[in-house]
Every structure is written in C-alpha cells, then in structure tokens.
Amino acid sequence: MAVAVDTALMTADVARTARLIAPHIVRTPLLRSATEPWGTLHLKCENLQRTNSFKFRGAVSSLLHYRLQGGASWERILQHGVITCSTGNFGRAIARVSQEFDLGCTIVVPEAIPVIKLNAILAENPNAEVIKVPYEEWRHAISTSKYPGTRALFLSSEINQSVSLGNATIAMEVLRDLPDVDAILVPYGGGNLAYSIASYLQAAGRDVPVFAVEVSTGAPLTASLRAGRPTDVEYRPSFVDGIGASFVIPEQFHRVKDLIAGTLVISPEDIAEALASLAFTDKIVSEGAGAAAPAAASKYANEFGWKRACAVVSGGAIEPSLLLDTLTPHTDPITRLRSAA
C-alpha cells in the first residue's frame, strides 16, 4: 500500500533556514570543471563544507531549529542529548554541532564504518558516545528513526524536516550561481540530499531534472523504482562507502520516487576515474561517494545533452592510503616517477 508523505519544502522556509545557518556554515563554491567536454560540468564543492560534507548543513539546521522553537523537544535535547544513525559523515557533523552547543550526543554506526570516519567523529567531539552495531540492527534504526534504551531525541539524517531544509540550501545556492543549470546530479545514499534538492526546485517552479546516482555494487533505488516499491538488492562493499546499500528507506523512497528524473548507475571503476580527474585536473580531494555525481555526469553527459550540469561533490572524508591506492593506477609512469622524486 502506498504511503502518503509530505513532499513540500517551501522556498520561504529554505530562505529562512539559509539565513539561520549562514553564520555557521561555509558558502561553498560552484566551480566549472576543467575536464572535457570543456565548460559543461559544474561542481558544487560540499567537500569544502565544515566537517567535509554537506551533512553539516542539515545537522546545524536541525539543532538551530529545535533551539529556536523551544518546547518539549528542546528540553529533551538539553536534558538527554540527541541520538542519530550514520555511516560517518552525519555523525561527524552532529558531533561537531553538539560540541559547539554543549549538548550530549550518541552516534549509532555500522560495525564496518571506515576508521577515518569513526576517528573523525571522536576528533570533533571526544565526549560523543559511539555505538557500533551489526548492519541489520543499524538498518532497522535508520529505517524506523528509533533506537531502544535511550531518552535522547532521535535525529534522523534522512526524514527530519529541518535537516532537509538545511540540505535544500544547496539547491538555492546552485540556482543563484548557475541560473541556467540544466541538470543536478547527486549521490544517493539515504536519499535526503536528492529529496531536498528536488523538492526545493519543484517549490521554486524550476523544471530542472535531478538525477540520483547509485553505485553498481548496491543500487536499491534503481531496483525499487523499477518494481514500484521498496526492494532489496545484493550489496557488495567497496571503497565507495557513503553510498551503496542493500535497501532503501521506505519513507524516503515514497518521497523521492515522483520528484527525481531517474537514477544513474555507475561502477566503482567509473568513480575511481572521477576521483583521479577531480584530484589531478580540478585539484579537488573527494571521497568515493563525493565523486559519484561527477562520474555520472562524465559518463552520461553526451547521452542527455547537458550543457550546464551541476554535480554535487558531497564529501571529502577518505583515508589518504585509500586515495593513493585508488589514484595510482590512473597516473602514467612518468607522473608516478616525478611524484616519487
């Protein structure tokens, strides 16, 4: 049975949120990529955001909104803190904001969380409580926005409206910097980034297609759209840890299915090529998921005929050794020799 969900983000609310979070965030640049074909791809560099991902926007937006509204939820946060589920980046953002606001926080993460992301959470807030759980337990928590045995307020990175408002400020900035943008590509993990951007564009009356980018090692949104319902798929872990999964969050699926233009599936090899292009040509360091949208833009630009596409580089948290291992096969021998000299 279809689930009735609210797919409305009002432009006035996003504008107010932009003013609210402005003192706390980085107004990230929109850069024209130097990769071929020249001048057709623009990069929204959320890897340069505080805590190195777009997740900081939603994290600070949510807690500022709760503080502004006051009431029982804010009192609960003051007394018991917040709890969230994350694969790393949202947890890091919540840890940072909680530290700045002097609030307690608990981050539930899957056991296979990359070490760099786990360490980053604790570096932002040594007092943060990090709970590692098996994947299925983590899946249940992020899908239901519930975690047992705590009085902390559950703060969902995926369906919390104030988080979505913070994420939607990315779309507002893109329209201001590139008014004639003809497509926006975003990596699809939990899905809130795709929802927030597409919902804002719809509210603004802009017919700009938003494509959700998935990795071939786990593309559940593509399968779910094909089936017309949330559908599980086989998932194989890869260096692209921020996206790729065996499932979609059901509520998110019903929110995005009629908002986005479709999905684009790319391989880890495509993403590795994009990481190299970003690093060597555009001088941008990205994590695997952050390079997914540029990879899809490169692969599908000719097919769709985009002239002013924007790819969101969603994050930049990657192990230096992993980045080196990923990039090395994409440099020629002369380049490697010069680098070692």
Side-chain angles (χ1 to χ4, degrees):
M1 182 176 68
V3 177
V5 293
D6 178 16
T7 56
L9 285 185
M10 297 296 99
T11 55
D13 292 334
V14 176
R16 280 192 292 269
T17 298
R19 293 191 294 270
L20 182 67
I21 69 176
H24 303 273
I25 69 164
V26 174
R27 209 309 193 162
T28 56
L30 184 74
L31 304 179
R32 179 177 293 183
S33 177
T35 58
E36 295 186 49
W38 305 109
T40 62
L41 176 61
H42 294 75
L43 305 169
K44 181 58 172 170
C45 297
E46 286 296 298
N47 59 309
L48 302 179
Q49 187 55 258
R50 291 190 63 194
T51 66
N52 298 127
S53 87
F54 79 94
K55 298 285 189 177
F56 190 81
R57 292 179 187 256
V60 73
S61 170
S62 61
L63 288 176
L64 284 173
H65 274 97
Y66 278 121
R67 186 171 71 177
L68 187 64
Q69 293 162 4
S73 292
W74 181 241
E75 287 300 318
R76 183 176 174 183
I77 291 172
L78 289 175
Q79 291 184 40
H80 306 292
V82 295
I83 184 170
T84 193
C85 284
S86 174
T87 55
N89 284 343
F90 191 72
R92 180 182 178 184
I94 285 293
R96 176 71 259 168
V97 179
S98 297
Q99 176 85 335
E100 293 179 357
F101 290 8
D102 195 24
L103 301 170
C105 75
T106 301
I107 317 296
V108 181
V109 301
E111 289 176 328
I113 182 175
V115 173
I116 188 174
K117 293 190 174 182
L118 177 61
N119 290 341
I121 291 172
L122 296 174
E124 297 289 356
N125 187 346
N127 296 318
E129 180 182 3
V130 178
I131 302 175
K132 287 186 177 182
V133 299
Y135 181 76
E136 287 303 317
E137 184 177 337
W138 180 86
R139 169 180 174 170
H140 182 265
I142 198 169
S143 297
T144 61
S145 297
K146 295 178 182 178
Y147 191 77
T150 179
R151 299 183 66 184
L153 182 78
F154 195 101
L155 183 54
S156 171
S157 63
E158 301 305 329
I159 60 173
N160 181 281
Q161 186 76 346
S162 296
V163 172
S164 299
L165 288 169
N167 292 342
T169 60
I170 295 172
M172 188 179 72
E173 291 176 10
V174 169
L175 290 183
R176 289 178 177 175
D177 292 343
L178 189 66
D180 55 353
V181 60
D182 57 10
I184 298 180
L185 286 70
V186 300
Y188 194 94
N192 198 359
L193 183 60
Y195 161 74
S196 302
I197 288 178
S199 184
Y200 177 81
L201 292 170
Q202 182 184 75
R206 294 296 304 272
D207 188 22
V208 179
V210 175
F211 290 90
V213 180
E214 293 192 292
V215 62
S216 58
T217 52
L221 179 62
T222 301
S224 298
L225 290 173
R226 188 179 298 121
R229 56 180 173 77
T231 301
D232 283 10
V233 298
E234 181 182 354
Y235 167 65
R236 291 179 290 109
S238 74
F239 74 93
V240 189
D241 57 82
I243 61 174
S246 62
F247 69 100
V248 291
I249 297 171
E251 184 171 347
Q252 197 75 284
F253 169 74
H254 291 291
R255 295 207 302 177
V256 304
K257 65 184 179 67
D258 295 323
L259 281 174
I260 61 173
T263 61
L264 303 173
V265 179
I266 53 174
S267 68
E269 291 74 21
D270 294 328
I271 293 177
E273 291 286 351
L275 277 174
S277 178
L278 288 169
F280 297 130
T281 305
D282 292 308
K283 314 307 178 187
I284 293 172
V285 173
S286 168
E287 62 186 81
S298 175
K299 184 172 183 177
Y300 291 100
N302 289 335
E303 178 180 337
F304 285 92
W306 298 319
K307 300 300 181 184
R308 294 165 301 281
C310 172
V312 179
V313 184
S314 58
I318 187 170
E319 288 274 9
S321 58
L322 174 59
L323 179 63
L324 183 61
D325 289 345
T326 305
L327 295 181
T328 299
H330 302 278
T331 59
D332 59 77
I334 298 299
T335 301
R336 288 201 296 271
L337 286 171
R338 287 173 178 168
S339 299

